Amino acid sequence: MSDSNTSYKKRGKDYPIKGGLRTLPGKYYHSQEIYGEELEKIFYQKWMLAGRGEEIPEAGDYKLFDIEDESVIITRTKSGDIAANFNVCRHRGTRMCVEAKGHFESENIQCPYHAWTYGLDGKLIASPMMQSLESFDKEAHHLHQANVHEWGGFIFVNLAQDPISFEDQMGTLIEKFKDWKLSELKIAHTIKYELECNWKLILQNYQECYHCPGVHPLLSKLTPFQSAIHDCNKGAVMGGYMKLEPGVKSMTMDGEPAGTPVCDVQGDDMRRVYYYSVFPNMLLTPHPDFVLFHHIMPRGNGAITNTCHWLYHPDVMADPDHKERLQSAVEFWDLTNKEDWAVCEQMQQGTKSRRFTRGTYSGQEDMLYALDQELLRVLGHKSPE
Ligand code: FES
Ligand SMILES: [Fe+2]
């Protein structure tokens, strides 16, 4: 019997597959058990993108960060800091907040069940009639805290009891893209996509342009697919850049700029579009004149919500010409995104087949192999033979 990992069958004859790094087996996109492991070892352990600080500008503003069993309330506190607390009442465990975002008018978080009330920072401030219990210790009933870190205007959270430091996970990212002054940028446009594919397929798709000539005719005119250069492959952060064709200024429908250069961006960076995947749930794409990022949240092993944001400097957004140029960048990336989503969803379906065991990477997909190895390392799985 032929082994489809090492050979393929054609007209009844086995042909060996020579060379090429092998993809993950199909079960990594479909197994409920592996998805459960990913939740425990990745999504409940690693730093994850949760949004932008500008989404909760005022004290009392909040947004939820929900992933499977867990829900975290991210609030702007009275001191202006950002707090992240588990959305779990310390009385009897009720999920307190159900709206995805909003504002706590009373500047506190109140459980709807028996009215235990917490400050915006999660400190228990009222617990009706509990004072009659002599041993009741209010201090010990602070909401369970999640870890929170701001970088470049992005909010990251970590749900682990004993988290890896943000610097250890994201080291390479911290010094990168300083010229874009990411913390000064604001969201100019957002599109939310609901996709029927495993979260890893989107990260993989983002890290190779082998598919570009066939899938993205317009993108390929602006940045030739052979121009992809990988300049970073360090655990959670990996990526590189593609060069703009001579005469092309940015990734827009007509190749003209979508705005003036972002902050201090100059020199070689004016001719490049960077593609950085920040494992496990962020894709960051700095252009000379704007920044695009994708926020990926899994919804089971075969679906994700992928929210795409376009960031601009507020001065550029104030420019009356800005709207039309922004629209060109939005239109270009919406078109390109949809081209990608279609092949990712088709790959999700195809890899379910019993005939799919593993595929073979091309020489232009070495970064995908690196992503696979990072996944296997974090899951503690041996590399499949
Ligand atoms: S469960 Fe929250 S106050 Fe009772
Ligand atoms: Fe693509």
Side-chain angles (χ1 to χ4, degrees):
M1 183 154 165
S2 74
D3 172 0
S4 54
N5 282 338
T6 55
S7 68
Y8 71 98
K9 213 171 188 66
K10 192 176 169 190
R11 294 196 193 98
K13 193 175 169 201
D14 280 340
Y15 290 84
I17 295 171
K18 287 185 184 160
L21 296 166
R22 312 307 310 281
T23 71
L24 288 173
K27 66 181 179 182
Y28 280 87
Y29 312 117
H30 305 288
S31 153
Q32 197 53 42
E33 195 182 327
I34 290 177
Y35 179 63
E37 268 190 78
E38 289 174 343
L39 287 173
E40 295 297 340
K41 296 178 182 170
I42 298 172
F43 294 102
Y44 299 160
Q45 292 295 327
K46 300 287 180 189
W47 287 98
M48 285 182 293
L49 177 65
R52 293 278 297 171
E54 65 175 293
E55 293 178 79
I56 47 169
E58 306 292 337
D61 289 346
Y62 79 89
K63 70 172 289 188
L64 297 184
F65 177 80
D66 291 345
I67 179 153
E68 299 292 349
D69 295 341
E70 303 297 348
S71 176
V72 169
I73 309 172
I74 302 171
T75 47
R76 180 75 61 183
T77 67
K78 287 181 190 167
S79 62
D81 295 332
I82 291 177
N85 288 286
F86 281 78
N87 191 3
V88 178
C89 180
R90 292 299 308 274
H91 176 216
R92 279 171 49 199
T94 302
R95 183 167 288 190
M96 299 179 291
C97 229
V98 291
E99 296 296 330
K101 63 185 296 183
H103 180 79
F104 295 115
E105 286 299 339
S106 53
E107 298 203 332
N108 55 47
I109 305 168
Q110 189 171 63
C111 178
Y113 207 167
H114 313 93
W116 280 32
T117 304
Y118 306 86
L120 295 171
D121 56 0
K123 193 173 171 186
L124 180 65
I125 50 181
S127 46
M129 289 173 266
M130 291 300 286
Q131 57 276 31
S132 58
L133 292 181
E134 220 172 78
S135 60
F136 184 70
D137 179 2
K138 256 188 180 172
E139 303 266 309
H141 289 77
H142 193 292
L143 290 176
H144 291 295
Q145 288 175 293
N147 310 281
V148 65
H149 187 94
E150 269 190 287
W151 171 82
F154 295 100
I155 304 171
F156 289 87
V157 295
N158 184 308
L159 311 188
Q161 299 255 23
D162 185 16
I164 179 177
S165 76
F166 182 82
E167 290 72 19
D168 281 350
Q169 186 180 324
M170 303 291 190
T172 326
L173 189 63
I174 293 167
E175 291 304 311
K176 195 88 189 169
F177 308 125
K178 271 191 165 167
D179 286 349
W180 278 259
K181 296 188 175 172
L182 294 168
S183 58
E184 293 184 18
L185 307 186
K186 298 284 181 218
I187 296 171
H189 196 84
T190 296
I191 301 180
K192 197 180 204 181
Y193 303 93
E194 303 292 348
L195 309 183
E196 301 301 314
C197 69
N198 183 272
W199 64 277
K200 297 184 292 295
L201 294 188
I202 297 296
L203 267 72
Q204 291 178 1
N205 169 269
Y206 182 78
Q207 281 301 343
E208 53 94 356
C209 209
Y210 184 41
H211 69 274
C212 292
V215 174
H216 304 306
L218 180 54
L219 179 141
S220 298
K221 277 189 200 158
L222 305 181
T223 48
F225 82 103
Q226 304 95 325
S227 72
I229 290 173
H230 291 135
D231 64 357
C232 175
N233 178 4
K234 297 237 170 67
V237 181
M238 46 185 84
Y241 60 85
M242 291 181 70
K243 288 184 191 155
L244 294 163
E245 278 282 20
V248 171
K249 306 287 180 10
S250 188
M251 305 303 270
T252 54
M253 294 305 285
D254 55 8
E256 292 298 312
T260 50
V262 180
C263 297
D264 296 339
V265 176
Q266 57 180 316
D268 288 344
D269 290 339
M270 290 300 295
R271 309 290 318 138
R272 294 176 180 176
V273 180
Y274 286 87
Y275 295 87
Y276 265 59
S277 35
V278 184
F279 187 88
N281 78 328
M282 179 186 193
L283 305 177
L284 182 63
T285 317
H287 297 59
D289 47 350
F290 66 99
V291 173
L292 179 77
F293 76 95
H294 293 252
H295 186 186
I296 298 164
M297 294 300 292
R299 292 183 285 106
N301 59 2
I304 60 165
T305 299
N306 190 353
T307 312
C308 188
H309 302 272
W310 285 254
L311 299 179
Y312 276 85
H313 193 275
D315 291 349
V316 177
M317 289 164 76
D319 181 338
D321 292 337
H322 164 261
K323 267 206 163 118
E324 193 194 323
R325 295 312 308 159
L326 164 65
Q327 192 49 38
S328 191
V330 169
E331 210 179 310
F332 172 83
W333 275 114
D334 186 38
L335 170 78
T336 305
N337 284 340
K338 286 172 178 160
E339 291 166 347
D340 279 327
W341 307 160
V343 286
C344 288
E345 291 186 330
Q346 285 174 237
M347 184 172 161
Q348 180 74 15
Q349 291 169 345
T351 53
K352 276 185 199 159
S353 167
R354 276 131 195 86
R355 287 304 178 94
F356 178 78
T357 51
R358 301 174 71 187
T360 303
Y361 283 130
S362 73
Q364 295 178 38
E365 296 168 299
D366 51 330
M367 203 58 105
L368 279 60
Y369 183 77
L371 266 172
D372 294 346
Q373 295 308 304
E374 175 65 8
L375 177 88
L376 295 169
R377 187 190 68 75
V378 175
L379 293 182
H381 290 190
K382 267 201 205 145
S383 195
E385 293 304 319

